[in-house]
Amino acid sequence: MARITASVYTSHVPAIGAALDLGKSGEPYWKPVFQGYEYSKQWMQDQKPDVIFLVYNDHATAFSLEMIPTFAIGCAAEFTPADEGWGPRPVPQVIGHPELAAHIAQSVIQDDFDLTIVNRMDVDHGLTVPLSLMCGQPEAWPCPVIPFAVNVVQYPVPNGRRCFNLGKAIRKAVESFDQPLNVQIWGTGGMSHQLQGARAGLINRDWDNAWLDQLIADPEAAAATPHIDYVREAGSEGIELVMWLIARGAMADVNGGPAPTLRHRFYHVPASNTAVGHVILENNV
């Protein structure tokens, strides 16, 4: 059977992708951000998966206010980096895994989670920036990627508990796939930031790190965080953190297994006007 071996959590700030693409990663402002991922790039080479299931949010690229799926799974054979207004990022084409994606969709929908099946979509910085942070600038991404887009842009958005339970259903789906695949699940977005209004530029270091503590050691408590806490404490875009709970819900310990091993934790302010958080957890089964 397939198995989930690790989960990766990271912010997906668009300016990080621009800094990398424009050769600015060594500049004093950006260097601390990229140094926080040096361990991760080596870990990725050492623990290269067969498939990455990557949870992110679309930023009005594949979806608009005309159509807003709460959860959408990419089942195509490949996905093109999106033009978000200044041309597509100079990164490789994203190769999908249609067989596993279709299997996950079948299993998860039968477990009462309504997914939108997408057979054609471009993928924006929400997906490509995490790949760049973890993999650098290769000619091809190291493995197939299944994009899983979550609506955290237009209310109503799914709550943390729903996302956490969805992660459990995804784990069940992966483990019932009849090929011996090593699968990693990534949760992206966040951490605290607000892009508009009177609190534009808000960053809450204390809240971010307390939430990371819970994500790692007490995910049930993190999943119980109400929407208003994200908005009040982490800003209007802090709600993106519910996507990390999908990845955390897919880990062994919340499904009756042993606690995961924390391989890496990183937090930095600022990167653009956003706090950057990053965690790697490995399953011990």
Side-chain angles (χ1 to χ4, degrees):
M1 69 178 185
R3 61 193 181 99
I4 292 176
T5 57
S7 53
V8 173
Y9 310 82
T10 181
S11 302
H12 60 212
V13 185
I16 290 176
L20 189 62
D21 299 342
L22 296 173
K24 296 184 176 182
S25 60
E27 293 184 358
Y29 181 87
W30 289 109
K31 190 174 181 179
V33 176
F34 291 100
Q35 283 181 332
Y37 288 84
E38 285 302 311
Y39 172 91
S40 308
K41 288 193 291 185
Q42 184 59 55
W43 177 88
M44 190 66 185
Q45 291 179 22
D46 296 339
Q47 307 293 332
K48 188 173 82 71
D50 298 313
V51 183
I52 296 167
F53 187 96
L54 200 154
V55 184
Y56 74 110
N57 65 291
D58 177 77
H59 301 78
T61 301
F63 309 112
S64 70
L65 294 182
E66 296 176 353
M67 181 177 64
I68 310 170
T70 301
F71 302 117
I73 186 167
C75 294
E78 59 183 347
F79 304 90
T80 298
D83 183 346
E84 299 181 64
W86 49 85
R89 289 192 63 213
V91 295
Q93 194 85 346
V94 176
I95 304 303
H97 198 298
E99 296 82 9
L100 179 58
H103 173 83
I104 291 172
Q106 165 73 18
S107 178
V108 169
I109 290 170
Q110 290 299 309
D111 270 347
D112 299 333
F113 288 91
D114 296 326
L115 306 186
T116 298
I117 296 170
V118 185
N119 292 315
R120 179 182 177 185
M121 68 174 173
D122 292 348
V123 290
D124 66 16
H125 72 268
L127 183 136
T128 62
V129 167
L131 287 171
S132 294
L133 284 168
M134 296 294 295
C135 307
Q137 296 174 291
E139 293 185 2
W141 300 123
C143 66
V145 177
I146 297 174
F148 192 85
V150 180
N151 171 42
V152 289
V153 175
Q154 180 69 31
Y155 278 83
V157 303
N159 63 37
R161 176 66 59 191
R162 180 77 168 161
C163 290
F164 190 61
N165 288 334
L166 174 56
K168 295 180 182 181
I170 291 168
R171 178 180 179 84
K172 176 183 172 184
V174 169
E175 291 184 343
S176 65
F177 191 62
D178 63 357
Q179 294 181 29
L181 297 177
N182 171 354
V183 180
Q184 290 179 6
I185 184 165
W186 295 13
T188 75
M191 294 190 80
S192 64
H193 62 301
Q194 181 155 325
L195 303 180
Q196 69 288 309
R199 298 197 307 163
L202 180 149
I203 292 175
N204 189 337
R205 295 172 182 257
D206 291 342
W207 192 90
D208 284 344
N209 280 289
W211 193 88
L212 282 177
D213 291 342
Q214 283 193 327
L215 179 77
I216 295 164
D218 191 0
E220 294 279 354
T225 303
H227 273 177
I228 191 63
D229 283 11
Y230 289 103
V231 177
R232 182 194 303 114
E233 303 295 340
S236 55
E237 277 68 48
I239 192 62
E240 290 181 350
L241 286 168
V242 298
M243 297 187 291
W244 295 31
L245 292 166
I246 296 177
R248 191 64 180 90
M251 294 297 284
D253 60 322
V254 299
N255 294 274
T261 297
L262 173 64
R263 287 299 179 197
H264 187 53
R265 176 172 174 170
F266 171 68
Y267 182 82
H268 178 76
V269 174
S272 185
N273 58 352
T274 305
V276 172
H278 175 42
V279 171
I280 298 174
L281 296 177
E282 286 183 8
N283 270 326
N284 288 307
V285 291

